[in-house]
Amino acid sequence: MDWAMAGLEPAAFWAAMAVTLFAGFVKGAVGFAMPLIMISAFNGFLPPELAVAGLILPTLITNMSQSTRQGLGAAWETVIAYRRFLIGTVVFILLSAPLLTVIPRTAYLLVLGVPVTAFAAAQLMGVPLALPIRHRARAEWGLGVLGGLFGGISGIWGPPLLVYLLSVGAEKAETVRVQGVVFLIGAVALLAAHLRTGVADAASLGFSAALVVPAMAGMLVGYRVQDRLDQARFRRWTQGLLVLTGLNLVRQAVM
């Protein structure tokens, strides 16, 4: 198991496995939030670089499953339909990824924690987050770029995508599939970017590969919840969880 430990103590390694199992379950049930839960918890006991590297392969593999759940044809149609968002996200992940190794830890946590908390709290309180989109192409480019800027630094680019999907009125199945496609392609870009920065190396990718197992196990259970339970109610509980994880990031920054 040394190849997967990345120099961690056993307690830290197994804590990371448990966090990833839970995060995978949430992702399977609602289609998002796995990297957010992982990074929020990981920052409490892992170095920032290892925390980001650890979520790369679980994000890649789980989104491969999510994006193709309705078939490869539907996934490809999504790529074409949301190509502007995808291009903006990928390009700016590549541009912003080098900032991870130089940005101060406090700033990194605040930049991630404050908008995530605000986004989740607004959803939980029923505040409409849909934007009055008059020029869909411009909105797609702008929110894709914003997601990429956050994604390169933190490994998380979901909130701008969720705002965009709410704004265009995407239905449930499409929303889950689009998230899977965008997160999958973004994860490939994140891996490429951090292979270049050195954040993703043999040790950190071994750790990330080990986390794929609990991520997929949790996700398969979460799929069953997604198919059987009231999605709106479960999503509301998840939004409450996102508020707590965002506040935890802010707490770590100010402490």
Side-chain angles (χ1 to χ4, degrees):
M1 284 292 289
D2 289 347
W3 61 271
M5 300 288 285
L8 295 173
E9 294 293 327
F13 174 79
W14 289 110
M17 295 283 278
V19 167
T20 305
L21 178 67
F22 176 68
F25 167 74
V26 173
K27 180 170 178 59
V30 298
F32 72 102
M34 187 181 81
L36 178 58
I37 293 169
M38 291 171 71
I39 204 72
S40 176
F42 285 180
N43 271 298
F45 58 92
L46 296 179
E49 292 84 358
L50 185 59
V52 171
L55 62 82
I56 291 176
L57 294 181
T59 300
L60 186 69
I61 300 303
T62 55
N63 282 304
M64 193 177 297
S65 170
Q66 182 174 321
S67 63
T68 57
R69 203 174 181 212
Q70 283 97 37
L72 291 174
W76 178 246
E77 290 174 4
T78 298
V79 171
I80 300 301
Y82 291 85
R83 61 191 179 279
R84 300 178 189 90
F85 194 101
L86 284 165
I87 293 169
T89 298
V90 168
V91 169
F92 278 83
I93 282 176
L94 295 171
L95 291 176
S96 65
L99 298 176
L100 173 63
T101 57
V102 298
I103 190 171
R105 178 176 170 81
T106 297
Y108 160 75
L109 292 170
L110 286 174
V111 163
L112 181 57
V114 171
V116 163
T117 303
F119 173 81
Q123 280 202 314
L124 192 60
M125 292 185 294
V127 177
L129 294 176
L131 301 175
I133 292 180
R134 296 181 181 86
H135 301 285
R136 178 166 177 165
R138 293 179 188 174
E140 205 169 337
W141 281 117
L143 290 170
V145 167
L146 182 63
L149 287 171
F150 276 101
I153 296 170
S154 66
I156 295 166
W157 51 93
L161 175 61
L162 291 173
V163 170
Y164 180 73
L165 292 171
L166 285 169
S167 301
V168 299
E171 50 88 22
K172 175 185 168 183
E174 181 183 1
T175 295
V176 173
R177 185 176 65 254
V178 171
Q179 289 177 78
V181 169
V182 173
F183 296 162
L184 171 61
I185 294 175
V188 173
L190 188 67
L191 174 59
H194 284 309
L195 285 171
R196 187 176 59 187
T197 65
V199 169
D201 57 18
S204 64
L205 288 179
F207 172 62
S208 187
L211 295 182
V212 170
V213 176
M216 281 304 302
M219 191 174 191
L220 291 174
V221 177
Y223 278 159
R224 299 179 69 178
V225 174
Q226 182 187 132
D227 292 340
R228 296 182 183 184
L229 292 185
D230 183 306
Q231 184 70 9
R233 183 179 300 171
F234 193 84
R235 192 180 184 96
R236 191 165 181 82
W237 280 101
T238 303
Q239 289 159 357
L241 174 64
L242 295 183
V243 172
L244 294 177
T245 54
L247 288 173
N248 184 47
L249 288 168
V250 175
R251 180 193 64 79
Q252 292 176 36
V254 299
M255 292 291 287

